[in-house]
Every structure is written in C-alpha cells, then in structure tokens.
Amino acid sequence: MPKETDLFQVTTSSQEDWQRLADARPALDFLPDGWLEQWQSVWLPLSAWLAEYQRRSNHTPIVGVHGGQGSGKSTLSKALASLYAEAFGWQVVVVSIDDLYLTHQERQQLGQDIHPLLVTRGVPGTHDVDRGVNLFRSLQTLGDGEVIHFPAFDKVSDDRLPETAWHTVTGPVDLILFEGWCVGCHGVDEAALEEPVNELEAQEDPSGQWRRWVNNQLLGPYKDWFSMLDKLIMLKVPDMSAVQRWRTQQEADNRKATQGTADRSLDDAGIRRFIQHYERLTREALRTLPTEADLVLDINQAHKVSAVHRRTAD
C-alpha cells in the first residue's frame, strides 16, 4: 500500500468523473494482477488527477511518462489511454520516444561520423528530435477528421518499420502521453562527465567523447523538446539490478511481438552491455527527477507501487 498518496484529498475532480472512471475499470483487465490490486489506492486517483488537469487545460496537454527500462511506462500509458477512451470517449495518443529512433542506417552513419557507441539506439542523439517536435505540434492542432501518421519502431530488427505499419491518428486529440526512459532528463556540467560510471564507458569511451556528445544533445535540442511537456510523471525504479531483470523480460516479449524482418535481439550478455549505455542518465534521473516531476511513483522490486509523491504546486 502506498505510504504517501494524498491524491484522493487534493483532487477536485467531479464525483461524476470519479464514477465514470470507476465504471471503466474493466478496460484495464490486461494489466498485471499486482497493478490491478492497486486500482483504488493508486490508479483511480492518478487517473482522476490527470483527467482534472486535462479538463482545466486550454490546449491539448502533453504529459511525459519517465521511467527506467522495464518500469512500466508503456503499460501505464496504454492503461490511461484505454481508461479515458472508455470513461470519456477521449482520443489519447501515446507517443513512445522509441518510435522516434533514427533508422538503423542513420545510426550506423552516426557511429562513423561521431562515435561508434551511437550505433546503439537509446541515448539522446539517436532520436529524430525535429520529427518529434513537429509531431507534437501537429497532434495539438489536428482538426476534426484530419489524419496524421507517425513512425513505429521494431526493437527486434532494431529499425523503423515501413510506413504501412506506422501509427495513424484521426483528430481531434484530447491528450498526448509521451513515454520514454529519458523523457524529462537534462544535461549536466561537463565536470560530472569526467569519470566513467561503468565498464562500457571506461573501455569504449575513455576520452569521454561519446558521453559529452550525448550530454550536449540534452543541453540543446532535447531541452527544447522536453520543454513542451505540461506535466511529468516518473516511475522510479528501485535500482539498476531491477532494470537489468525487467529489460531481460522485455527482450523476450519483444521477440514475440516483432513485425520486423530481421532479428537483432540481444542475449543476456548483450542486454548487460546494452543497459550500460543507459546507466549514467538513469542514475542521474534517479538523483534529480524525484524533486522535479509532478508525480513520482516509487516502484519496488515486486514491480508494484510502494509510495506516491506529488508536487503540491499545479
């Protein structure tokens, strides 16, 4: 049971909205049993809080959902989209930062032009930021009956899917959920980059060129991109060992769901190396974002919410 949730007390959502959300609960039957056990204590008040914010907004809000790999970002975003569609008939668009990765070929070129580690997807600099910014602007202004398509990415083939498999949205849009492991992250002073944080950085980035380039992306184009967020929700992972365990399970799930034509999935050793690309920013996010996010959900080793913290200022 969460220790610090006051969402029931602080929300002024109408009783009718609460009831409609409660009645829509069967739309979430796909959630894990552990999450469903926390419907009354976590997910109902969270969804009411966010619904209230959407109703108060004078534009289509963009809500970031941040969390380490395997934390449940995609699951939460899908759940909110399903719940709001059932309760209110809202058009909620979930944009995964993963779908905005550069193509495999484009990252190969980055690896040649800047640093070999940029071949690996994930870190800032491996996404099409301009497309992401324009996508948000387009979604916010999408008129009734207007249609937009945006990319879909296949992690097993490690490449963008053909346009026939892209996401399709018909306007208007009521809410945008932007989920990703580095959503909301920001750059640091260069002095903080001097010492490697793991074996990958020590052996494959001894001069710090890769991590400085990634940091500069956060200080530049990604800062502008993330400034478009109206709210930020953080799923706070317990530690890096949990990320390793959950990411390993994700890889197995990805293989089952792939639509790609190539298999570039990872074995256990490959996953351990892969996660080291993310470790520096994950640790920095765990240090800084809990005081910056509008809502923080502490995720325990059992993958359930152990505490909820909300910033009091709206």
Side-chain angles (χ1 to χ4, degrees):
M1 179 67 64
K3 299 174 183 176
E4 300 183 27
T5 177
D6 62 353
L7 295 181
F8 279 116
Q9 285 72 41
V10 299
T11 184
T12 57
S13 230
S14 71
Q15 187 62 41
E16 181 183 355
D17 276 3
W18 276 86
Q19 189 59 55
R20 290 170 70 180
L21 287 165
D23 291 343
R25 154 64 186 80
L28 303 185
D29 281 345
F30 63 88
L31 288 177
D33 289 342
W35 281 36
L36 290 175
E37 290 169 6
Q38 297 189 298
W39 164 247
Q40 289 288 343
S41 60
V42 178
W43 308 120
L44 176 57
L46 184 157
S47 59
W49 166 76
L50 190 55
E52 180 188 13
Y53 177 74
Q54 192 277 349
R55 292 194 185 281
R56 293 201 318 263
S57 299
N58 58 8
H59 66 288
T60 302
I62 303 173
V63 177
V65 182
H66 167 97
Q69 292 181 317
S71 59
K73 303 178 299 299
S74 300
T75 300
L76 174 57
S77 300
K78 179 182 176 183
L80 288 171
S82 298
L83 188 66
Y84 291 146
E86 181 68 22
F88 308 130
W90 286 357
Q91 166 77 297
V92 179
V93 177
V94 177
V95 177
S96 171
I97 199 170
D98 294 353
D99 281 330
L100 295 166
Y101 281 134
L102 297 173
T103 67
H104 187 76
Q105 182 177 354
E106 287 169 334
R107 286 179 283 116
Q108 292 285 333
Q109 192 63 51
L110 272 183
Q112 294 179 30
D113 295 343
I114 300 171
H115 194 283
L117 285 176
L118 291 170
V119 170
T120 300
R121 70 177 188 264
V123 297
T126 62
H127 305 91
D128 190 339
V129 175
D130 288 342
R131 185 189 289 271
V133 169
N134 291 330
L135 172 62
F136 286 163
R137 290 173 177 161
S138 297
L139 289 172
Q140 287 183 309
T141 58
L142 199 63
D144 190 8
E146 293 181 337
V147 177
I148 191 173
H149 306 277
F150 66 93
F153 190 89
D154 179 71
K155 293 181 179 179
V156 174
S157 61
D158 191 29
D159 210 350
R160 187 178 297 164
L161 289 169
E163 290 191 22
T164 53
W166 285 17
H167 304 286
T168 299
V169 177
T170 303
V173 175
D174 297 290
L175 179 67
I176 300 166
L177 299 175
F178 181 33
E179 61 97 354
W181 79 276
C182 66
V183 168
C185 287
H186 44 69
V188 298
D189 293 336
E190 190 160 324
L193 305 173
E194 291 181 5
E195 294 298 322
V197 299
N198 54 35
E199 183 181 11
L200 177 86
E201 290 191 359
Q203 295 185 359
E204 301 186 47
D205 186 38
S207 70
Q209 178 189 0
W210 171 71
R211 52 191 184 264
R212 282 195 301 272
W213 192 85
V214 170
N215 191 58
N216 286 337
Q217 300 301 303
L218 282 172
L219 293 171
Y222 283 72
K223 181 179 179 179
D224 295 337
W225 193 14
F226 296 160
S227 71
M228 300 179 75
L229 299 179
D230 296 289
K231 291 286 184 183
L232 179 63
I233 298 171
M234 180 185 193
L235 301 182
K236 186 173 177 242
V237 297
D239 51 40
M240 290 302 297
S241 65
V243 172
Q244 170 77 37
R245 186 170 69 255
W246 297 339
R247 183 59 183 82
T248 299
Q249 180 58 50
Q250 269 190 336
E251 195 72 6
D253 294 340
N254 289 340
R255 292 191 194 99
K256 296 176 184 177
T258 182
Q259 300 180 56
T261 57
D263 186 350
R264 300 188 179 101
S265 58
L266 304 171
D267 57 18
D268 288 351
I271 292 172
R272 284 193 295 273
R273 180 181 181 277
F274 181 65
I275 287 173
Q276 288 189 44
H277 292 75
Y278 296 69
E279 183 172 357
R280 175 178 291 276
L281 285 185
T282 299
R283 292 189 183 278
E284 179 65 15
L286 288 173
R287 187 181 72 83
T288 60
L289 288 189
T291 61
E292 299 174 8
D294 298 281
L295 189 73
V296 179
L297 308 178
D298 291 349
I299 308 298
N300 62 22
Q301 294 287 350
H303 220 238
K304 295 177 69 173
V305 177
S306 59
V308 181
H309 316 271
R310 192 181 81 84
R311 289 203 304 179
T312 56
D314 263 331

